[in-house]
Amino acid sequence: MLGLLVVGPISDRLGRKKALVMTGVVGGILGLAKSFSQWYWLYIALEFFESAIGDICSPVYVLNIEIVSKSRRVPYYILCGLGYCVGGVVMPFVAWMVPYWRNYLRVIYAPALLFFFYLYLIDESPRWLMTKGEKKKAIKILEKAAEKNKIELDKKELDNIVCEKEKNVDFGKLMQITFSSRTLVKRFLVCVIWWTTSTFVHYGMTINSVSLEGNKYMNFALMSLTDIPGSFVIMYVLTNFKRKVPLMASFFVGAILCMSQPFMPENLPWLSTIVYFGGKLMSSFYFNITYIYTSELFPTYTRNSMHALCSSLGRIGSILAPQTPLLMAYWPGLPAMIFGAMSLIGGLVTFLVPDTANTSLPDTVRQAEAVGNKEKMNKIGINYDTFGQMHERNISVVSSIS
């Protein structure tokens, strides 16, 4: 929760690539250090710092969505996110095979040190470079991507790329400008509710899965496995049915499934389990949509920071999620009812934001405010769409390793 407030600004100021490498390697080092701790409070301190500054999710996600065209944004993000799902499936089996906690930590954290090689394997976000006035570097990356994909670029078109740039304005001022917009403040509050609901329900249902009948390792793995088919369903839905309606539908369906699960017949445990897994699948749907929806509502200058801030405040949900099994002492169905109520609230607040599908990522506050308003977008879109229009001519800005 606190670390995202640090990692987000680092990504916006130093770049997505540097933030990704720094957090990945530091996370691996701190994770390995935990396995050698001889004191409980040292372990807790290392756990805190590893969670705070060793999480690559925020910078790597923003880098992912900024290097592809709007038409390919969703499938690229979903396919990259499959690694997260696979990790969730593998983790319980590693814990099953390596039960001693010190060895377990060494096995799962050692590969993180390989993030160092991303310094040489991936490129910086051209969009971020453009907002920093590094047009030559951005064009060089575009040319490398085009060469890799065997696409011939028009030199004149490259020279005419336009991306509005704030000059001599520090990061604090940019955040102040962002929050001076009532429109963006409203979106920010909605996003915080989305994130709180997503983290609370998603992690809460995963944690409670070990209380289901059967092998706890298998249950956890199967719960994570539901995210994989869910990712492909979401990829299809977001590609063909925009953002707003799918998000609301997943929230509302998830609410119905969660709130009905405690009332399933006791003599049909399989039905209760299916309904539970269905609710978990819906939480996977709206968590994935929330991730991409949030980033499309804010400008490039502060996109990673705003995404991180929403995610950070939303971690109130993941902080409370581990406590939900305690509620079963009062009534076994109480956690599911609360999950359903939160999902319902998340769906209702979605009415307050515009749909962002098929819209180029905004670079400034003025452009972000215009998202969802066709008349405003038509007035200013010709300026900031130049970059996006190049993408749409099949010039996918991918890293040189793709």
Side-chain angles (χ1 to χ4, degrees):
M1 181 178 184
L2 298 179
L4 284 167
L5 301 177
V6 176
V7 174
I10 286 177
S11 178
D12 279 333
R13 298 198 68 175
L14 301 182
R16 319 318 191 192
K17 178 180 173 178
K18 289 181 181 178
L20 187 161
V21 174
M22 289 168 56
T23 53
V25 173
V26 170
I29 293 172
L30 292 174
L32 288 172
K34 286 192 296 184
S35 72
F36 294 99
S37 174
Q38 299 297 320
W39 301 279
Y40 174 73
W41 288 110
L42 176 60
Y43 180 93
I44 293 299
L46 291 170
E47 173 78 9
F48 175 85
F49 286 110
E50 184 266 317
S51 299
I53 56 177
D55 181 9
I56 71 162
C57 290
S58 180
V60 77
Y61 166 73
V62 173
L63 175 62
N64 277 345
I65 67 162
E66 287 186 342
I67 61 175
V68 292
S69 63
K70 61 187 179 184
S71 64
R72 301 180 184 182
R73 193 182 303 156
V74 171
Y76 188 74
Y77 155 64
I78 295 295
L79 291 174
C80 289
L82 289 177
Y84 184 89
C85 304
V86 173
V89 174
V90 172
M91 187 180 70
F93 290 114
V94 173
W96 198 356
M97 293 184 292
V98 190
Y100 183 49
W101 68 274
R102 291 186 188 276
N103 292 336
Y104 169 70
L105 290 178
R106 291 162 191 166
V107 170
I108 65 173
Y109 279 106
L113 301 180
L114 297 175
F115 278 108
F116 172 78
F117 294 102
Y118 276 6
L119 283 173
Y120 310 101
L121 295 176
I122 63 173
D123 295 309
E124 182 56 85
S125 163
R127 184 178 290 274
W128 179 83
L129 289 171
M130 289 289 291
T131 63
K132 296 299 179 180
E134 302 285 352
K135 184 175 179 178
K136 290 183 179 179
K137 291 182 180 179
I139 290 178
K140 188 176 180 180
I141 293 173
L142 285 169
E143 291 175 333
K144 185 195 297 184
E147 182 181 356
K148 192 73 176 180
N149 289 276
K150 298 179 180 179
I151 297 172
E152 187 173 343
L153 297 181
D154 185 337
K155 294 293 184 181
K156 291 184 178 180
E157 196 168 41
L158 282 175
D159 293 336
N160 291 331
I161 290 179
V162 176
C163 184
E164 289 188 30
K165 173 181 174 290
E166 293 280 354
K167 295 183 179 179
N168 301 320
V169 179
D170 62 24
F171 174 75
K173 184 65 175 179
L174 290 174
M175 289 296 289
Q176 183 181 345
I177 293 172
T178 300
F179 279 105
S180 67
S181 167
R182 290 186 178 182
T183 300
L184 297 190
V185 168
K186 181 178 70 174
R187 293 178 190 175
F188 165 72
L189 295 175
V190 170
C191 289
V192 169
I193 295 175
W194 287 348
W195 277 93
T196 303
T197 300
S198 297
T199 58
F200 179 67
V201 179
H202 185 82
Y203 295 127
M205 297 193 77
T206 301
I207 291 168
N208 280 273
S209 68
V210 299
S211 300
L212 299 175
E213 295 184 10
N215 184 291
K216 63 181 180 181
Y217 296 102
M218 288 296 296
N219 288 340
F220 193 98
L222 289 172
M223 191 63 65
S224 299
L225 189 63
T226 61
D227 292 342
I228 295 180
S231 296
F232 286 103
V233 172
I234 282 297
M235 181 168 66
Y236 174 80
V237 170
L238 292 184
T239 302
N240 295 278
F241 300 100
K242 298 188 176 182
R243 307 279 189 270
K244 190 169 182 175
V245 172
L247 181 59
M248 293 175 64
S250 58
F251 270 129
F252 290 141
V253 173
I256 293 171
L257 290 172
C258 288
M259 298 178 80
S260 62
Q261 191 266 341
F263 303 102
M264 293 294 104
E266 294 184 3
N267 61 335
L268 297 175
W270 59 269
L271 180 60
S272 177
T273 302
I274 289 176
V275 172
Y276 190 90
F277 272 74
K280 171 60 171 59
L281 184 61
M282 289 300 109
S283 74
S284 176
F285 284 177
Y286 56 69
F287 205 165
N288 274 300
I289 300 174
T290 293
Y291 239 101
I292 195 165
Y293 209 156
T294 301
S295 61
E296 294 174 338
L297 291 169
F298 299 104
T300 298
Y301 303 133
T302 53
R303 178 171 297 116
N304 206 156
S305 298
M306 293 301 293
H307 193 276
L309 182 58
C310 294
S311 177
S312 174
L313 296 177
R315 298 298 158 172
I316 294 172
S318 57
I319 290 171
L320 296 176
Q323 313 306 318
T324 53
L326 302 175
L327 299 176
M328 297 178 70
Y330 301 97
W331 178 43
L334 187 54
M337 290 297 291
I338 295 177
F339 294 151
M342 288 293 294
S343 298
L344 181 62
I345 294 172
L348 292 174
V349 300
T350 308
F351 282 107
L352 302 176
V353 296
D355 204 318
T356 58
N358 301 320
T359 302
S360 293
L361 293 175
D363 291 318
T364 66
V365 170
R366 183 167 62 96
Q367 294 163 2
E369 289 177 329
V371 171
N373 187 317
K374 291 185 178 180
E375 185 176 342
K376 287 184 178 181
M377 289 178 67
N378 288 335
K379 288 182 179 179
I380 63 177
I382 191 171
N383 292 324
Y384 78 89
D385 248 350
T386 308
F387 196 66
Q389 286 166 2
M390 283 195 65
H391 284 293
E392 291 310 302
R393 294 190 182 94
N394 295 319
I395 304 174
S396 294
V397 187
V398 295
S399 64
S400 57
I401 196 175
S402 297

